[in-house]
Amino acid sequence: MNVNAVTGDAPVWEASMDFSGRTVLLTGGAGGLGIDIALAFADAGARVIALDIRDDRGADLLSRAVGTTGEVLYEHVDLSQLDALPGELDRIVSAHGPVDILINNAAIYPARPFDEYTVEDYRAVQAVNVDAHVQCMLSLAPGMRARGWGRIINVASITFYGGWDKLFPYVASKGALVGLTRAWARELGPFGITVNAIAPGAFPTDAEKIHPDPEGYARFVLEHQSLKRRGSPRDIAGTMMFLASDYSAFITGQTLNVDGGWVMK
């Protein structure tokens, strides 16, 4: 949706869920949520550049992307290697063109009692879950600003609202993403860039393998959700597409819970 530069008024409604001609950079693109997000955008015509370090999962993503309307590319990029990340991002942009939509999805989530973590453990989580995504924004947002359009979507978590033990570095990292969402939205809004966050609830992905009693945990989830079914990664993907489209062009700085009505804030 283009905006009248003089009046600030939006023209006749033009929004759609067609992402043809758009390039998405997705961190954690071969993960439990990432694969479905990548395929959803590719089905809608986008070029998706999926970053991950799990090459077997990347190969699975590429095989599943065959026949989509758009295109999925896989890049082995280790987000924990912060010194190398700017160069990797420059290389990707040089090879594949400018990025229109940045989805900061990658995360690590060790689980143990708080006094069993070291400061180094804490910093390792922040490096992947926060610092790498700050670098992605710093590398890619200037191009969005120059073109006068962009979407940045951060993946937070409902754990930020409290009530989860053994995850304090992870919870802290997700709180940081909520704060960054608000700060970036304020600064980048004048350039036609929206910045929002999604806070997923409990989804049956690899992240749940940290729980010793999967069936008991599934019962716990359904007891707390208003909707009595488990969420699907496609539920996250659909919300991502909404926030990346011009249907949400007047929404920025917000965190949207996608959790079946567990946390209502």
Side-chain angles (χ1 to χ4, degrees):
M1 181 184 294
N2 298 316
V3 177
N4 185 303
V6 176
T7 66
D9 295 331
V12 176
W13 186 251
E14 300 171 357
S16 75
M17 287 291 189
D18 181 358
F19 289 94
S20 299
R22 297 294 189 193
T23 296
V24 179
L25 188 136
L26 169 64
T27 70
L33 296 179
I35 286 179
D36 283 88
I37 294 167
L39 293 175
F41 275 99
D43 281 336
R47 168 183 285 181
V48 180
I49 304 167
L51 310 189
D52 215 305
I53 58 173
R54 292 169 290 186
D55 295 343
D56 56 334
R57 297 289 299 272
D60 179 48
L61 168 62
L62 293 177
S63 68
R64 292 174 61 182
V66 173
T68 57
T69 305
E71 181 182 15
V72 175
L73 306 168
Y74 173 75
E75 293 279 355
H76 181 106
V77 175
D78 187 347
L79 297 182
S80 70
Q81 302 302 305
L82 294 174
D83 290 342
L85 186 55
E88 292 278 31
L89 294 168
D90 288 345
R91 174 185 62 80
I92 288 168
V93 171
S94 295
H96 304 301
V99 171
D100 304 294
I101 300 163
L102 168 62
I103 301 175
N104 290 319
N105 169 64
I108 57 176
Y109 34 84
R112 51 184 176 270
F114 81 93
D115 54 356
E116 293 182 12
Y117 285 101
T118 65
V119 172
E120 289 71 25
D121 295 331
Y122 173 81
R123 288 173 176 163
V125 173
Q126 308 318 303
V128 173
N129 295 14
V130 182
D131 298 348
H133 294 136
V134 170
Q135 184 59 62
C136 287
M137 190 281 293
L138 292 174
S139 293
L140 301 176
M144 298 179 188
R145 182 174 57 192
R147 296 187 300 279
W149 194 96
R151 299 286 184 265
I152 298 173
I153 304 172
N154 297 319
V155 178
S157 170
I158 64 168
T159 60
F160 175 59
Y161 301 114
W164 280 264
D165 59 359
K166 300 182 180 180
L167 291 171
F168 91 80
Y170 174 82
V171 173
S173 74
K174 295 306 182 177
L177 287 180
V178 171
L180 290 170
T181 295
R182 297 171 183 174
W184 292 344
R186 185 68 69 186
E187 289 202 57
L188 296 174
F191 304 101
I193 302 168
T194 68
V195 188
N196 291 291
I198 290 176
F203 286 78
T205 65
D206 287 347
E208 287 198 358
K209 293 179 180 178
I210 65 176
H211 297 284
D213 178 12
E215 292 184 3
Y217 181 70
R219 289 193 298 271
F220 170 80
V221 169
L222 293 178
E223 287 170 359
H224 286 81
Q225 288 181 181
S226 299
L227 299 177
K228 302 306 179 183
R229 69 166 175 86
R230 294 304 307 274
S232 162
R234 282 277 165 158
D235 294 315
I236 296 293
T239 308
M240 290 276 186
M241 294 176 72
F242 168 69
L243 289 177
S245 76
D246 282 331
Y247 285 114
S248 64
F250 207 55
I251 299 173
T252 195
Q254 306 304 310
T255 300
L256 179 59
N257 298 337
V258 184
D259 63 356
W262 186 332
V263 174
M264 299 188 184
K265 288 184 180 288

